[in-house]
Amino acid sequence: MIFQPGMVSIVIINFNSKLYIERCISNIESQSYSNTEIIVIDNGSTDSSFSLIQKMADEGRLRLFPAENLGSSKANNLGIRESNGEFVLVLNADAFPSPDYIDKCVTAFRKDEYTGTVIGKLISDSDSSIIDSAGIYIFREGIAVDRGFGEKDCGQYNKEEYVDGACCAAAIYRRSMLEDIRIGEEFYDEDFFAFVEDTEISFHAGIRGWKTLYLPSAIVRHVRGGSSGKMTEFNYYLNARNILLFFRKDFVLVTRPSDRFFRFVVLFVSRIIQYKRLSAGFRRRLNNEVRELTNKMDKKRDCLLHPERLSTFTMAGRQSYLVAAIWRRMSLRRLFLSTKK
């Protein structure tokens, strides 16, 4: 397939997003960068959002692909396969890019051929002074976090820099990178279904030598959780399961022997926390599915390494999640004690 140079394909998943989808589409249509196409995958919506998108499709404003609930990984893969652009913006229905977002991101891609992903600064839609994500940071134990999440924006993330990954609420990918990391027909790992898939694809790209650029001047307003709904037991289950799958498939490739103890402690504690949120049925399902998918993850891992470029990931010098958590707890305790005096 020949992709159109300079075109940006916007892939949006709609899942009962009647509160956001029209505003999201309008934001894309008002972009200063005009060489775009909009692809919407409807994941079996039962609210009025589907009829609204159907009307937009009939008007020629977008292409619509109705489906059952495929999960975010499989639905995004479908949209990427159906797209025609040199770049692909994977956008949540509850994310609203500033008018120059795509323009700035495409310009940034031209600076380095090994920049595979560009992500802007995501801020809270309800309070623009609060950061939602300034890219993803991966700790030495393999735990990934959105940099700056919940912090007041005081300019601490105003530096353009390479980061570990991009929150897939508004990540723009280079097509050649997506083709390079594809395993079969999958860009995002469809076994993940939803959650952790943005960390996994970022890490996958990183160990092949692709880089993720954080662009603070490109702004996106984001309603955290607006496209996936509130956290349910099923969501907690997916998050716990996918972290284990990520460790099995990807993270083992860069883990140093000295890090394994730290990872064991973090996994042990997180397993206790997750088990408190899961019923006995979901606990059994978690154990069974991780066991069933182990061999599949091992086979996929054999396809990950790129023979021509060195990995951009190294665990040397990285922060420890365990140490950071203990230090933060001690700092909060000192703050509490000082306020009581």
Side-chain angles (χ1 to χ4, degrees):
M1 184 176 182
I2 300 176
F3 301 105
Q4 297 187 31
M7 174 180 275
V8 177
S9 302
I10 298 97
V11 176
I12 303 169
I13 298 174
N14 178 61
F15 178 64
N16 295 329
S17 302
K18 65 179 180 180
L19 296 177
Y20 313 109
I21 191 64
E22 188 169 15
R23 179 182 169 195
C24 179
I25 300 297
S26 296
N27 267 255
I28 292 300
E29 292 177 328
S30 63
Q31 290 288 305
S32 58
Y33 193 91
S34 58
N35 188 9
T36 62
E37 64 172 351
I38 302 174
I39 298 169
V40 177
I41 312 299
D42 186 81
N43 261 356
S45 296
T46 56
D47 66 359
S48 58
S49 62
F50 179 76
S51 58
L52 180 62
I53 299 169
Q54 182 67 68
K55 182 181 178 182
M56 294 181 187
D58 293 341
E59 294 169 348
R61 296 167 61 185
L62 54 85
R63 287 193 286 150
L64 172 62
F65 294 86
E68 59 186 6
N69 189 353
L70 303 175
S72 60
S73 295
K74 195 169 185 177
N76 277 326
N77 285 344
L78 172 59
I80 293 170
R81 288 196 298 268
E82 294 292 338
S83 64
N84 301 297
E86 179 186 359
F87 306 100
V88 179
L89 166 57
V90 173
L91 187 68
N92 279 9
D94 63 353
F96 316 111
S98 58
D100 59 357
Y101 185 76
I102 294 178
D103 208 339
K104 286 183 175 180
C105 290
V106 171
T107 300
F109 273 113
R110 306 303 187 194
K111 298 177 183 178
D112 185 344
E113 64 177 320
Y114 290 130
T115 296
T117 308
V118 176
I119 185 68
K121 180 190 287 186
L122 276 61
I123 59 176
S124 170
D125 185 54
S126 60
D127 184 349
S128 61
S129 69
I130 301 299
I131 296 172
D132 182 80
S133 178
I136 290 174
Y137 181 81
I138 300 177
F139 288 91
R140 65 188 290 184
E141 294 91 347
I143 301 297
V145 299
D146 282 297
R147 298 194 315 157
F149 174 69
E151 295 179 19
K152 191 169 183 63
D153 189 356
C154 301
Q156 67 271 43
Y157 298 104
N158 280 357
K159 178 184 176 183
E160 181 178 318
E161 59 186 327
Y162 289 107
V163 294
D164 293 335
C167 171
C168 64
I172 300 189
Y173 302 110
R174 190 189 294 271
R175 171 73 63 174
S176 55
M177 183 208 79
L178 290 173
E179 292 300 317
D180 184 48
I181 68 172
R182 177 166 56 89
I183 298 178
E185 295 298 312
E186 298 181 16
F187 307 99
Y188 289 96
D189 192 324
E190 294 180 5
D191 286 312
F192 280 56
F193 189 81
F195 297 104
V196 191
E197 79 277 14
D198 49 1
T199 298
E200 201 277 334
I201 194 174
S202 296
F203 198 88
H204 185 174
I207 59 178
R208 284 183 180 258
W210 294 98
K211 297 183 285 187
T212 298
L213 179 66
Y214 167 65
L215 197 64
S217 62
I219 304 296
V220 179
R221 301 182 75 102
H222 184 214
V223 182
R224 172 75 56 159
S227 59
S228 59
K230 66 179 181 179
M231 289 295 288
T232 63
E233 186 180 21
F234 180 60
N235 291 346
Y236 284 123
Y237 153 75
L238 284 175
N239 190 65
R241 187 200 66 166
N242 291 351
I243 288 173
L244 295 174
L245 296 182
F246 167 65
F247 285 155
R248 181 76 189 195
K249 175 186 172 186
D250 305 81
F251 197 68
V252 67
L253 292 169
V254 298
T255 302
R256 298 176 300 171
S258 60
D259 297 328
R260 290 172 186 164
F261 171 74
F262 289 97
R263 189 179 65 173
F264 170 79
V265 174
V266 171
L267 274 176
F268 180 76
V269 174
S270 63
R271 178 64 69 94
I272 293 174
I273 294 172
Q274 292 290 354
Y275 266 38
K276 288 182 179 179
R277 294 169 172 166
L278 301 178
S279 64
F282 268 106
R283 292 175 194 172
R284 287 193 297 270
R285 181 176 176 181
L286 175 63
N287 293 330
N288 290 338
E289 286 206 3
V290 169
R291 186 164 51 248
E292 290 170 3
L293 288 169
T294 291
N295 290 336
K296 195 172 185 180
M297 292 298 109
D298 290 343
K299 290 178 181 178
K300 287 183 176 181
R301 186 177 64 245
D302 292 339
C303 304
L304 293 183
L305 292 178
H306 195 289
E308 298 173 3
R309 295 201 303 277
L310 294 176
S311 169
T312 60
F313 276 96
T314 175
M315 302 318 292
R318 283 185 176 266
Q319 285 184 296
S320 163
Y321 182 85
L322 182 63
V323 172
I326 293 173
W327 181 255
R328 182 174 182 272
R329 188 176 182 87
M330 291 174 61
S331 299
L332 289 174
R333 185 173 182 273
R334 285 195 296 266
L335 178 63
F336 174 75
L337 291 175
S338 65
T339 56
K340 290 198 70 175
K341 291 180 179 179

